[in-house]
Amino acid sequence: MTHSTPLLLGVHAHQPVGNFPQVIDDAVLRCYHPFLEAMHRFPEFPFAIHISGWLLQYMVQHHPKTIKLLQEMVTRQQAELVGAGDTEPVLAAIPHADRITQLEAMADRLDKNFGQRPVGAWLTERVWDPSVVPALQEAGIQYVMVDDYHFLCAGASTDQLGSFHRTEENGQAIDVFPISEALRYRLPFSEAAAAVTYIEEISAHNPGSAGIYFDDIEKFGVWPETYSWVYEKGWLEQFLRGVLNSPHIQPMHFKDYLHQHRPQGMIYLPTVSYSEMNEWTLAPDAARNYAAFLEQEKAAGRLDLRKPLIRGGIWKNFLTRYPESNWMQKRMLQLSQRFHALPKRQQSKQMRADLHETQANDAYWHGLFGGIYLPHLRRAVYQAMVRLEAQLDKIQERPGLQFIDVDMDGHEELYYHNDHQQLIIRPTPSGAVAEWDCYKLHHNLGDTLARRDEAYYDKIRHGAVDHATPSEGIASAHDRISFKTEITAEDLLADTAPCHSFQEWLDNVAVTYPENSIVQDTPHFTGGVADSWAVSKAYSLTHKGLMVHFRIESPASQQNVESHHFQTRLFLAMPSCDGPAGQFFADEQSQGGFGLPIQGKKTRQIVLEDAVMGGKITLHCNPPARWEAAPHMTVSQSEAGFEKIMQALQLDFYWDLTAGKTQHIEILTEIIADD
């Protein structure tokens, strides 16, 4: 061999905004620190690294030894720092102005902690959309990395995947590196010597090509089996020594390679992410067909040739797959618009930081990764939203009642707020509360997730087994099937209605409210059940909480029916979920936590205490109500396996009705923050 393969190796470290400290500490212990420690022992091995802003801030505060290692490697010019949006947003899903401020906030953070501003940027989940090019260029970014799959989808040939190309949008240009899928699946899962040999041969097969790798650092210690494989069994050190001892590999920085070479040519990439993400974004039946088609093409030996033509969906399909994701994203867009409409002098750093946190990507999507199923990640987004909205209201007061189409579905929702709380109500058909914000607690009580079909449920139903472990190396998380909790067929049933609070039934028939009005500055909804029962519902915000009043009137034709009952259902996002920090009381008698189904006889008062939320909710029923409570659970997957996760507390109240009589029911909810 007389060739030399440039090796551009980079890693991406990320933890979602709102993740548990113990999870981050474990990742530092098992991955981030040992990886940097190993790289530190080989100063002649240059590499690139991106650490998302929120994670970097946490590590600076809680893991200074790890940060010091990286600072030393930056100072000696071994480590090249790569930027991104500060809170790891999908740039394509946020406004142009926020793309720039996110990129600049990350660059400022790197400059402050390491004295280096980035010239390259990591695209969250490698989601490419040409609309992001102007913001990247305006923020001083010269290059980004995407998958070689992006290039293939643009019609590029395999011999064009060994170097960067240039692209532009409206005359603003940026360089784009294709990350090698073959390397992504080899590092660190194949034997170290085999990985080195593969890199050596890249230029032999395609002279002048580089080995281009940039992927999650969590593969080097956090993923199943990887800590033992990478560190205890010595994979990383073997790989680093193998590369440095090879006369046919030249490790180098992305920025140095960029300055030493010219772009191979122009390229225009389609809106796309990595191939697995394109499958995850599809609706369940479409995803099943997509997976079956991939298997068919693989069996026929045509997949490598045709894969770029089988693209699946785009990342924004998550906004249609999960209405809860669309709701959050549209609320974020509204708040961004309000923030940027303020004069610059009124745009505080805290408000901008909160806006950036509302844009953290993880709570908006789901695949093998992604966290819309994780309540604590959605909660972090909503906490930032509630904080930001409260600050905006102090500067620019809003009307107490407004009709706005929040989710852009063509139907207006009703905003109803005071200084303490906000309700966002869907008038039709249920007059139910979709969002319930408590300003003092910075919490959305309406934050939950409906159960819905997922394509990966087929693996649970059919009892699929793990793919065989490779004869050399270890299996990737993409090929594993395991269970963190027991899951039954009933757990996989989809909800038939959104999980909103104050949905009613009369004799098990849904109550609908075709009419709404504003009476004495409070929202009223009028309807009933078919042509029989008439029901009205009125919401009234108080200093401490919410009063909901029902008026129920039956026709004379129902007088001979012996029994009737009226039911309303609440979904309350209790941050402690099924953990020990939640306590349920009925008429001052403890019922345990929120994680088990319970029911009670006629009760006047229910109290929900939640230490994680930092407060309690008291519900007064007049007249007293029978009740049932149960955890609302969903089933999701992660790299660690399938599991059930509690999303909210489902609380049902029942009252007996007397036909031929007009009856009034009230629920007074008080929300009290701990001192």
Side-chain angles (χ1 to χ4, degrees), residues 392 514 617:
L392 289 168
I617 302 170

Side-chain angles (χ1 to χ4, degrees), residues 350-363:
Q350 183 57 55
M351 292 166 68
R352 188 182 298 279
D354 286 334
L355 175 58
H356 284 179
E357 284 199 14
T358 71
Q359 298 166 342
N361 83 92
D362 302 87

Side-chain angles (χ1 to χ4, degrees), residues 512-584:
T512 58
Y513 301 92
E515 298 180 16
N516 64 80
S517 59
I518 306 300
V519 180
Q520 296 180 343
D521 295 327
T522 61
H524 286 239
F525 299 88
T526 305
V529 176
D531 297 323
S532 57
W533 296 83
V535 181
S536 68
K537 173 168 55 177
Y539 295 98
S540 180
L541 291 175
T542 66
H543 175 69
K544 290 185 178 180
L546 168 67
M547 171 72 79
V548 183
H549 179 271
F550 300 98
R551 182 181 186 274
I552 307 164
E553 184 176 358
S554 70
S557 60
Q558 298 290 329
Q559 291 184 19
N560 295 326
V561 180
E562 292 185 358
S563 63
H564 303 276
H565 66 269
F566 179 75
Q567 171 191 358
T568 189
R569 174 173 295 167
L570 284 71
F571 288 92
L572 299 174
M574 308 306 297
S576 66
C577 295
D578 47 357
Q583 293 293 318
F584 190 116

Side-chain angles (χ1 to χ4, degrees), residues 194-271:
V196 171
T197 299
Y198 177 82
I199 296 168
E200 288 178 328
E201 294 175 349
I202 288 176
S203 287
H205 295 305
N206 191 7
S209 290
I212 304 170
Y213 178 92
F214 214 113
D215 208 358
D216 298 342
I217 195 175
E218 288 80 16
K219 289 182 175 181
F220 296 83
V222 174
W223 284 26
E225 293 187 51
T226 56
Y227 178 78
S228 173
W229 174 252
V230 172
Y231 304 112
E232 293 179 339
K233 296 181 180 178
W235 183 93
L236 182 55
E237 184 148 340
Q238 294 166 26
F239 174 76
L240 297 176
R241 291 188 184 279
V243 167
L244 292 175
N245 290 335
S246 172
H248 307 294
I249 303 176
Q250 180 188 1
M252 62 192 307
H253 288 145
F254 282 81
K255 62 181 180 181
D256 292 338
Y257 183 90
L258 192 76
H259 293 152
Q260 294 173 20
H261 296 78
R262 293 182 181 273
Q264 278 196 302
M266 289 291 296
I267 195 164
Y268 291 92
L269 304 173
T271 300

Side-chain angles (χ1 to χ4, degrees), residues 13-17 24 28 32 36 49-64 66-68 70-71 74 81-83 85-88 105-116:
H14 172 62
Q15 292 292 326
V17 172
I24 306 173
V28 173
Y32 306 153
L36 292 176
I49 184 168
H50 165 250
I51 304 176
S52 57
W54 187 80
L55 171 60
L56 179 57
Q57 177 180 319
Y58 182 90
M59 292 175 66
V60 167
Q61 293 173 350
H62 300 282
H63 297 279
T66 305
I67 294 300
K68 184 179 179 182
L70 183 55
Q71 287 170 334
V74 170
L81 299 177
V82 173
D86 190 49
T87 60
E88 203 75 3
M106 185 70 205
D108 291 343
R109 192 184 297 277
L110 295 178
D111 194 13
K112 176 183 177 181
N113 289 286
F114 302 98
Q116 184 183 110

Side-chain angles (χ1 to χ4, degrees), residues 331 334-335 338 385-386 388-402 404 414-419 421-424 435 437 439:
R331 287 279 283 128
Q334 289 177 333
L335 293 170
R338 285 189 68 191
M385 285 187 187
V386 175
L388 176 57
E389 194 153 52
Q391 293 171 84
L392 289 168
D393 285 348
K394 289 180 180 179
I395 297 172
Q396 193 174 65
E397 188 176 354
R398 291 179 295 152
L401 286 160
Q402 288 178 287
I404 302 174
L414 175 61
Y415 279 64
Y416 176 36
H417 79 102
N418 61 15
D419 292 339
Q421 293 180 83
Q422 173 170 257
L423 304 181
I424 306 181
E435 183 171 333
D437 300 321
Y439 291 130

Side-chain angles (χ1 to χ4, degrees), residues 17 40 43 92 137 141 167 172 355 370 377 387 397 446:
V17 172
H40 190 267
Q137 205 251 15
I141 298 300
T167 193
Q172 292 176 281
L355 175 58
L377 302 189
R387 288 195 305 265
E397 188 176 354

